[in-house]
Amino acid sequence: MNEADRLLIVLTGILGIGIGSQWLAWRIRAPAILLLLSAGFVAGPLTGFVRPDEQFGVLLLPVVSLSVGLILFEGGLSLEFRELREAGRSILGLLTIGVIATWVAIWQAAQWLLGMPAPAAFLLGAILVVTGPTVIGPLLRDIRPMGRVRSIARWEGIVIDPIGACLAALVFQATESGLATHYRQAFLTAAAGLGITTAIGVGVGMAGALLMTSVLHRFWLTDHLQNPVSLMLALSAFTVAEVLHPQAGLVAATVMGIAMANQRQVDIRRIVEFKESLSVVLISCLFIVLAARVSPHALTALGLRGAAFVACLILVVRPVSVWLSTIGSGLSWREKVFLSWFAPRGIVAASVASVFAIEMGPEGETLASATLLVVFTTVAVYGLTAGFVARRLNLAVPRGEGVLIAGANPLARAIATALSGAGFPAVLVDSRYAGIREAHAAGLSAVYGDILSDRTLDRIDVSSLGRFLALTSNDDVNTLASTMLRDVFGREHVYQLARSVQQDSGRSSEIPHFGGRTLFGSNYLYEQLDEAIYRGAAVKVTPLTAEFKFSAFVEHYGPRAWPLFVIDGGKLIVVTVDAPYQPVEGQSVVSLVLNQTGQP
């Protein structure tokens, strides 16, 4: 077996291990980052299967840099300025006061607790101001925080990465030139350099966004080339800015993503979906590589001093930074506590420290060990506890068991009433005010608006809602809404009524890659269900007991009962065409029960 074959096996193995870890984390409901780090540690130091520096050589750091740039671009695509209306003051504070407070505090802690020389401690403080989307994004998906804290954490994690990387590079230059012994001069030099880096990055990023938007707006690309061209332009913007000035590429990638997210000329939903999938793959591979580069000695070299340093960052530096940054912001104490307990470091801190450590000699070993220890420990601590803390503070809930329903027609209102009575939140959305008025009169939660409008969805708190049911009379609206809301609830939890049969061909109009899973049964069309409600059918919740099992339920109601849902304790199970369900004792059946003259 030649070297090319070995490298091919390693690359395939890294991808397989990364995606496998993501899948296992989803199955066991564990933070994916923890499994990725553990798997990388096993694949690297413990088994020697992955040896990144030896196997990839000089290509390793450029590839990592490009990957981080794409992740920042994807993160920027999720940042919309409307979120700044409520959280802008807090975000600005964390990106200014928070950065400076964290930098200074870590600088002092590194000197007192690790015994590092002042210039090296100064550099370590600059490196560790970052958090990063490579860690923040996956953890936020697991935690599902509500309200402003989600926007604040996401904005901070994405924007602070290029700020921290630029700051670290500029401080390193000051350290090498001897300016770090004159801290006032070093601060001024870093500030000036940061301004230049930001100007170049913003200019290149805006140019890339303008070019991409213009190309799409003028229809110069066929649809199947949109994703490849956007990928090429994002990489080009990163590379051009990076060549012009070190670390400006990260700024350019972030700015390009933010600019495209906030323009209103073209629809970028296809690009966002592609970049989200690409980001998952890149994060999986990056953390496998990161963990594979870490030796057990690097994590234990600092001993108790390292443990005290990390504890200081988690228990003192981050809380002080957050509370100083959010003075006058209007955040509640609960929101401040959660943000104080959410600052994991990621791949940017580790890669920047690795580059500088090589050029610093013996002092670089301490800097690299401290950085890697902080990365591993903060990911583990926050990954295992941040979700619990958010739930205890009433800022997050597990995946909601409630339902968002498109339509406020009699059928939708009957289902919402039954589910709400059984303890499952239900929110109706309809553009016809008559249905909304009837829903409000029945004590239901209902929103007036178009389910296909982003503005309507922005007004709905989906934290307690885990499923979407499309129950309108229009098959096209049901299909479009289900397709759009896959990104919110996941493909598994989006449902719609069976589509009408095309009379001219006798074939179903269903298109497998659009819409949601088919509700209840293939013969349960809207017209039939609406007619049943009109003739007096009711949605009932029937508990099953040892005396009244499902067989007795079927015998009692016969064809007059159409099962819709099954309630298993606090869990709601939707009956679908592709997953029919047989209720058992201890569960409850939610069914549409026809009157004596009704016909299925």
Side-chain angles (χ1 to χ4, degrees):
M1 184 182 300
N2 58 36
E3 193 63 29
D5 291 337
R6 294 192 188 94
L7 186 57
L8 183 62
I9 292 172
V10 170
L11 289 171
T12 306
I14 290 173
L15 180 60
I17 293 169
I19 300 302
S21 299
Q22 293 267 14
W23 176 83
L24 181 60
W26 168 72
R27 292 295 300 176
I28 65 176
R29 297 182 180 275
I33 296 298
L34 293 180
L35 270 71
L36 288 170
L37 287 177
S38 301
F41 200 71
V42 172
L46 294 187
T47 64
F49 174 69
V50 180
R51 302 182 302 279
D53 293 282
E54 176 184 333
Q55 293 163 335
F56 302 109
V58 296
L59 289 177
L60 178 61
L61 291 179
V63 170
V64 168
S65 296
L66 282 173
S67 300
V68 172
L70 285 176
I71 292 169
L72 286 171
F73 174 62
E74 186 272 329
L77 291 172
S78 68
L79 300 181
E80 297 190 13
F81 291 143
R82 59 181 174 79
E83 297 176 331
L84 299 179
R85 295 169 190 166
E86 292 186 351
R89 169 67 181 79
S90 302
I91 294 169
L92 181 61
L94 287 168
L95 296 176
T96 53
I97 298 172
V99 167
I100 295 173
T102 302
W103 182 14
V104 173
I106 295 176
W107 165 31
Q108 295 300 312
Q111 291 185 82
W112 296 341
L113 298 175
L114 298 180
M116 293 180 68
F122 201 54
L123 176 59
L124 181 62
I127 292 172
L128 293 180
V129 300
V130 302
T131 51
T134 56
V135 192
I136 295 291
L139 288 181
L140 287 178
R141 282 196 294 270
D142 294 329
I143 297 169
R144 294 168 58 88
M146 300 183 295
R148 293 177 292 185
V149 291
R150 180 181 182 87
S151 297
I152 293 171
R154 192 170 69 249
W155 269 88
E156 181 194 15
I158 293 170
V159 178
I160 207 171
D161 249 12
I163 292 175
C166 295
L167 190 62
L170 295 168
V171 170
F172 179 71
Q173 293 172 10
T175 301
E176 291 297 288
S177 63
L179 289 177
T181 56
H182 307 286
Y183 296 112
R184 182 176 179 276
Q185 188 175 356
F187 270 115
L188 293 176
T189 302
L194 186 60
I196 296 172
T197 305
T198 302
I200 293 174
V202 170
V204 175
M206 291 297 294
L210 180 62
L211 178 59
M212 187 68 210
T213 303
S214 300
V215 167
L216 294 177
H217 185 61
R218 290 172 171 77
F219 301 100
W220 289 348
L221 284 177
T222 183
D223 287 352
H224 75 275
L225 288 178
Q226 287 185 14
N227 288 331
V229 171
S230 68
L231 176 63
M232 181 269 293
L233 285 179
L235 291 174
S236 298
F238 174 89
T239 302
V240 169
E242 194 72 15
V243 170
L244 292 175
H245 199 282
Q247 307 305 326
L250 298 178
V251 179
T254 306
V255 169
M256 183 175 173
I258 294 175
M260 291 190 64
N262 289 278
Q263 54 79 35
R264 294 294 178 262
Q265 284 187 306
V266 295
D267 181 13
I268 60 169
R269 193 170 299 151
R270 288 167 59 100
I271 296 174
V272 172
E273 292 174 355
F274 170 69
K275 294 298 183 296
E276 286 177 346
S277 300
L278 182 62
S279 181
V280 170
V281 173
L282 292 176
I283 288 174
S284 301
C285 295
L286 284 177
F287 272 90
I288 296 296
V289 170
L290 167 65
R293 296 184 72 212
V294 177
S295 67
H297 173 72
L299 297 179
T300 59
L302 299 176
L304 293 177
R305 294 179 301 142
F309 177 71
V310 176
C312 180
L313 263 61
I314 294 174
L315 300 176
V316 179
V317 175
R318 177 62 178 181
V320 169
S321 171
V322 168
W323 286 77
L324 287 176
S325 304
T326 55
I327 293 175
S329 65
L331 291 184
S332 67
W333 69 268
R334 289 185 175 85
E335 292 170 320
K336 292 181 181 180
V337 169
F338 174 74
L339 292 172
S340 298
W341 195 257
F342 195 65
R345 272 65 172 183
I347 192 72
V348 170
S351 59
V352 169
S354 299
V355 172
F356 295 156
I358 296 173
E359 302 182 33
M360 290 178 63
E363 291 180 1
E365 295 181 7
T366 303
L367 182 132
S369 295
T371 303
L372 293 173
L373 182 63
V374 169
V375 170
F376 270 70
T377 307
T378 55
V379 168
V381 170
Y382 295 128
L384 291 172
T385 63
F388 171 78
V389 170
R391 289 189 291 272
R392 292 288 293 178
L393 294 170
N394 294 322
L395 293 176
V397 294
R399 171 173 284 278
E401 290 294 327
V403 293
L404 176 65
I405 300 176
N409 48 61
L411 170 65
R413 296 200 303 269
I415 290 176
T417 299
L419 294 180
S420 297
F424 298 96
V427 178
L428 303 171
V429 180
D430 205 312
S431 57
R432 292 175 294 183
Y433 189 73
I436 297 297
R437 185 177 61 246
E438 293 291 335
H440 286 160
L444 298 172
S445 177
V447 175
Y448 175 68
D450 184 356
I451 189 62
L452 300 177
S453 169
D454 289 336
R455 292 185 178 181
T456 301
L457 296 175
D458 291 341
R459 293 157 50 201
I460 302 172
D461 183 4
V462 299
S463 57
S464 63
L465 309 178
R467 298 168 181 80
F468 172 68
L469 310 180
L471 302 180
T472 76
S473 58
N474 189 313
D475 285 344
D476 293 335
V477 170
N478 289 343
T479 299
L480 289 172
S482 298
T483 302
M484 184 173 70
L485 288 173
R486 285 178 175 182
D487 293 337
V488 178
F489 297 100
R491 189 166 55 90
E492 180 184 357
H493 303 290
V494 172
Y495 310 86
Q496 70 178 100
L497 291 173
R499 300 174 176 91
S500 300
V501 175
Q502 295 178 350
Q503 299 298 328
D504 55 345
S505 65
R507 296 177 62 185
S508 170
S509 60
E510 180 172 347
I511 305 174
H513 52 279
F514 286 114
R517 301 169 66 185
T518 302
L519 280 168
F520 312 143
S522 57
N523 296 323
Y524 292 4
L525 304 179
Y526 173 83
E527 292 77 9
Q528 290 178 290
L529 296 168
D530 183 62
E531 178 71 13
I533 293 289
Y534 176 76
R535 293 182 177 276
V539 179
K540 297 182 179 181
V541 180
T542 307
L544 300 181
T545 64
E547 294 76 23
F548 191 76
K549 298 182 179 179
F550 186 62
S551 57
F553 171 87
V554 173
E555 182 179 350
H556 177 75
Y557 286 109
R560 292 193 302 114
W562 301 355
L564 308 178
F565 308 92
V566 175
I567 299 174
D568 185 7
K571 184 178 181 181
L572 183 67
I573 301 169
V574 183
V575 176
T576 62
V577 172
D578 61 343
Y581 198 82
Q582 186 77 8
V584 297
E585 177 186 336
Q587 298 178 335
S588 297
V589 181
V590 181
S591 56
L592 180 68
V593 179
L594 309 181
N595 60 22
Q596 295 295 333
T597 60
Q599 296 296 323

